[in-house]
Amino acid sequence: MLTFEEKLKIIESFPDLTRKDVSMKRVNFHYEDSLYDKKIVVYHLHPTGNGFVYVGNLPQYKADNKGFVNIRDFSEKELHSIVADSIDYLSLEPEPPYDKTWTNRDNEKLDLVYEEPFWNLYTGKNLEETFGTFSDAEDYLLEQGFKEPK
């Protein structure tokens, strides 16, 4: 496990982050150029080595319900990678609105709607399925015999 000082050194190597000292010797790091209201990348990094990094709904991480991952036992490579991914996530333009109706051979219709952060599939007003990515939703629809709208 990396020490607090080692974690600080890695995190401080990102020039886009601003350090904010908080209570009980904990440290937050903000990404001021975030395209979203969320600006905290590193939350409550503590001298014990415990702390959290915001990853939102990135599928490669198991985040808590607020979008944070505990970095207590992360290696140097893992910590560097997750901080870079967090900054990238907060730098990306949001997905454009998507609301299209897919149809199968029997003329059954399903509406695929992007409602951040999920891709939701509706039959009329009833939610049928939820997906984390467009690719997962598209794969499901194609497997079920639906055609992409033009």
Side-chain angles (χ1 to χ4, degrees):
M1 181 173 90
L2 297 170
T3 66
F4 175 70
E5 290 76 19
E6 290 169 327
K7 287 179 182 174
L8 276 178
K9 186 176 179 184
I10 294 164
I11 296 164
E12 288 174 340
S13 74
F14 290 90
D16 294 337
L17 296 180
T18 304
R19 179 180 173 150
K20 307 272 185 177
D21 293 332
V22 292
S23 63
M24 299 191 308
K25 300 181 183 178
R26 295 176 298 188
V27 180
N28 290 347
F29 285 86
H30 293 219
Y31 177 59
E32 301 298 342
D33 293 332
S34 174
L35 297 177
Y36 303 92
D37 290 338
K38 176 63 81 180
K39 294 192 182 305
I40 294 177
V41 170
V42 178
Y43 179 70
H44 284 179
L45 181 63
H46 191 274
T48 63
N50 202 24
F52 303 88
V53 172
Y54 180 74
V55 295
N57 65 344
L58 289 174
Q60 66 266 41
Y61 297 104
K62 292 187 182 206
D64 65 16
N65 61 350
K66 293 182 181 179
F68 286 96
V69 172
N70 189 304
I71 57 167
R72 180 179 197 62
D73 298 322
F74 273 39
S75 69
E76 179 179 352
K77 183 178 177 183
E78 290 169 324
L79 180 58
H80 191 275
S81 181
I82 196 172
V83 171
D85 287 346
S86 178
I87 292 169
D88 287 348
Y89 181 77
L90 294 172
S91 301
L92 293 175
E93 289 289 334
E95 292 277 348
Y98 184 98
D99 184 350
K100 295 190 179 175
T101 302
W102 292 56
T103 308
N104 68 9
R105 279 187 249 173
D106 298 327
N107 207 29
E108 296 172 320
K109 298 179 186 308
L110 292 175
D111 296 316
L112 181 60
V113 181
Y114 180 70
E115 297 171 312
E116 189 176 344
F118 300 109
W119 291 87
N120 294 322
L121 198 55
Y122 291 92
T123 302
K125 293 185 179 187
N126 297 323
L127 178 65
E128 295 294 324
E129 293 283 341
T130 296
F131 301 92
T133 65
F134 174 79
S135 179
D136 289 343
E138 179 183 46
D139 289 348
Y140 174 83
L141 285 162
L142 294 173
E143 287 171 10
Q144 299 300 316
F146 285 84
K147 291 187 178 177
E148 185 170 5
K150 297 190 180 200

